[in-house]
Structure formats: structure tokens, C-alpha cells
Amino acid sequence: MIGTIVNACTILLGAVLGGTFKRFLSKKLEDALLGALGMAAFGIGISNVVKNMPDSKYPVLFIVSLALGVLCGTLLDIDGRLKRAAAPKAKAGAEAAASDKLPGPSAGRGRLIDGLTTGCLIYCIGALSILGPIEAALRGDHTLLFTNATLDLVTSTVLAATYGYGMMIAAGVLFLWQGSIYVLTLSLGEFISSAMMTELSIVGGFMIAMTGIGIMGIKDFKVLNFLPALIVPVVWCLITGA
């Protein structure tokens, strides 16, 4: 799992660099950086879709996945539950901040959740992040993971420059994600098929693109509510494979 460890470490390094740089950013520069980050996320998402759509064996599966996913996510209120859980439990701190005309801690935490959602989607839902652990498990080839680590170093630096040191949490999420794929591949061999990776990359690409649109302030899709959409391609590919 050396490739996954390196990948997680580059995200940590990028978060430290970006968090340190953040203190020197003015509001104007931060807004400009958010705009650039939003366009980058949108581009990465569309790139995932365009690259994988021609290889899809189920052309409408991504539509069904997104529709069912957002229905389940909205009914479960994943976005709202997570943001409420991140809000401070005591009102005293928020009231004190309001009396000082400062943004309350809930605003900062909600903003960090938006950043972590963006980061985790970009880091985890992509061809390199899915295919990399599989190649490492089956062939001992870490090339894809090292390539992904280089890209994530830059992305992590930009994200942390906007959202702060809290983006380091995303390194743990990536480690668990890629580590799970690595272990499953070792244990179950063909459990994760190429068709499954293709469909996951398409659905994930749309989710990353939606995140970019949200960062730019065009429309808030509440991307966390779309997370169940990633389960649909897995279940479908397992059923059709069986």
C-alpha cells in the first residue's frame, strides 16, 4: 500500500502548505481562488464523464443512479444531518461571536464541510484513485497512485489555501477509500470490474462537476445528498455480473 500512503501524505503536505499560505490571502484573493477552484472542479468532473462515457455498457445507468441517489439522500437528509452535527452544541459561543460582530463557529465549520466534500470527491472519485489501488494489488504497480499523488498535492494546496488546515482530514478519507479498494481487490479478485469502475467514474464525474458549480455560487446541489448514487452502479454491476 505504499502508493496509497504516499498519496495520503501528499494531501497532508498540500494542506499544510495551503493552510500556511491562507493567512496571507485577502478576501478579494480568496474569492478569486474560489472561482478558479470551482472551474477546476467542474473541469475535472466533466473530464471524468467524457473519458468514461464512451466505454459505458449501460448508457442510462448514470441517470438512474443520480435520480435514485438524490432521492435517497434527500429523504435521509444527509447534507442537513452532517451540517447540523458539525454545528456547535452550545449557543454561548455563537451568541458571543454575534455580539462581537464576528462570524460564528458554525459558519466556519459549515464552510469546512463544503471544502471537505469537494476535496473527498476530487481525491476519491476518479479513474486514478479507483484504478490505482487495483493495479497495486493485482500487479504491484504503483505508477497510477504516484501520478495521482502529484495531482492531489496541487489540489490539496489550493483547497487548504481556501478552506484551511481542516482539509487535512481528507487525507484520512482517501487512505480509507483506497485502502478498502486495495484490500477488497486482494481478497475478492474480480470484485471490482472495469465496467463498475467506468460507471462509478461517470457518476462521480457529475458529482464533482456539481461541486464546482456550487463553489462558483451558481447553484447549490447539496452534493452530499447524491452520495447514495455511488452505490447504484456497484449493485447493478454485481447483479449483471452474477
Side-chain angles (χ1 to χ4, degrees):
M1 290 181 62
I2 183 64
T4 294
I5 294 173
V6 170
N7 201 163
C9 288
T10 56
I11 292 176
L12 286 174
L13 176 60
V16 172
L17 293 174
T20 303
F21 177 67
K22 177 178 171 62
R23 70 185 65 181
F24 303 107
L25 289 179
S26 65
K27 183 64 169 62
K28 182 178 180 180
L29 290 175
E30 188 173 332
D31 289 342
L33 196 56
L34 271 175
L37 180 60
M39 281 302 301
F42 179 78
I44 291 172
I46 295 301
S47 175
N48 269 1
V49 173
V50 172
K51 285 181 180 179
N52 291 281
M53 192 73 78
D55 298 326
S56 175
K57 297 180 180 179
Y58 316 104
V60 298
L61 181 58
F62 76 91
I63 301 176
V64 176
S65 299
L66 291 171
L68 290 179
V70 74
L71 282 175
C72 293
T74 301
L75 288 173
L76 294 172
D77 193 21
I78 297 175
D79 183 87
R81 288 173 185 272
L82 186 55
K83 288 183 176 178
R84 285 193 295 272
K89 295 180 180 180
K91 295 182 179 180
E95 292 174 352
S99 65
D100 292 334
K101 298 182 179 181
L102 294 174
S106 60
R109 294 187 184 186
R111 182 176 169 83
L112 175 59
I113 288 177
D114 291 338
L116 286 172
T117 301
T118 302
C120 291
L121 283 171
I122 292 175
Y123 300 146
C124 298
I125 310 302
L128 290 175
S129 193
I130 296 174
L131 186 57
I134 295 176
E135 288 285 320
L138 295 180
R139 301 183 178 88
D141 185 357
H142 301 283
T143 303
L144 292 180
L145 286 175
F146 291 153
T147 301
N148 197 51
T150 304
L151 296 173
D152 286 349
L153 173 62
V154 178
T155 305
S156 178
T157 302
V158 175
L159 282 168
T162 304
Y163 297 105
Y165 290 113
M167 291 303 302
M168 295 172 72
I169 297 173
V173 175
L174 174 105
F175 182 83
L176 292 175
W177 169 258
Q178 290 187 358
S180 298
I181 295 176
Y182 182 88
V183 171
L184 281 173
T185 303
L186 286 178
S187 304
L188 304 176
E190 298 301 321
F191 172 78
I192 302 176
S193 64
S194 59
M196 186 187 298
M197 289 190 295
T198 297
E199 303 306 327
L200 278 173
S201 294
I202 293 173
V203 175
F206 278 109
M207 292 172 63
I208 295 172
M210 285 188 280
T211 300
I213 292 173
I215 293 174
M216 291 185 284
I218 299 174
K219 179 176 176 58
D220 181 11
F221 284 99
K222 299 188 183 303
V223 180
L224 289 174
N225 285 342
F226 281 85
L227 287 178
L230 296 172
I231 300 175
V232 179
V234 175
V235 174
W236 176 261
C237 289
L238 287 176
I239 292 174
T240 55

